[in-house]
Amino acid sequence: VWKLEEIFEMATYRRINVTDARTRFAEVVDQVHYQGDIVMLCKSGKPVAVMVSVEFFEQWRIAMETTVRLAQSVKQSLSSSD
């Protein structure tokens, strides 16, 4: 299992216009899937979505769930110590 920081370091980050992404969709998906690229999709130069690999997403989801559980635990500990 990779740490989220390791995935960020390994991933290539780039921006692409939604129209270009639509034209080259299969190529962009392959770059995300096989190379681990992170692709930010933009409309009129503004970010609207991000494409990441399933592996990256699952690691992110686990990290977020862990963070929420930790925050809930800390909140509960602080409440019970009052």
Side-chain angles (χ1 to χ4, degrees):
V1 175
W2 291 346
K3 294 182 180 176
L4 195 57
E5 300 84 25
E6 294 171 336
I7 295 173
F8 272 121
E9 288 174 11
M10 291 186 310
T12 302
Y13 176 88
R14 64 191 175 95
R15 296 167 70 111
I16 186 170
N17 183 284
V18 170
T19 304
D20 294 338
R22 182 180 16 227
T23 303
R24 301 175 27 227
F25 187 72
E27 177 187 343
V28 173
V29 169
D30 284 348
Q31 291 169 346
V32 168
H33 176 70
Y34 294 112
Q35 298 173 8
D37 289 4
I38 298 173
V39 178
M40 182 175 290
L41 302 172
C42 300
K43 281 187 177 181
S44 302
K46 295 182 181 176
V48 294
V50 176
M51 289 177 67
V52 297
S53 68
V54 171
E55 182 179 39
F56 182 94
F57 175 76
E58 286 300 321
Q59 290 296 322
W60 173 84
R61 186 183 58 77
I62 290 167
M64 292 301 102
E65 288 173 357
T66 302
T67 301
V68 168
R69 281 195 303 272
L70 179 61
Q72 290 170 339
S73 176
V74 168
K75 182 178 178 181
Q76 185 178 17
S77 293
L78 291 174
S79 296
S80 64
S81 66
D82 287 340

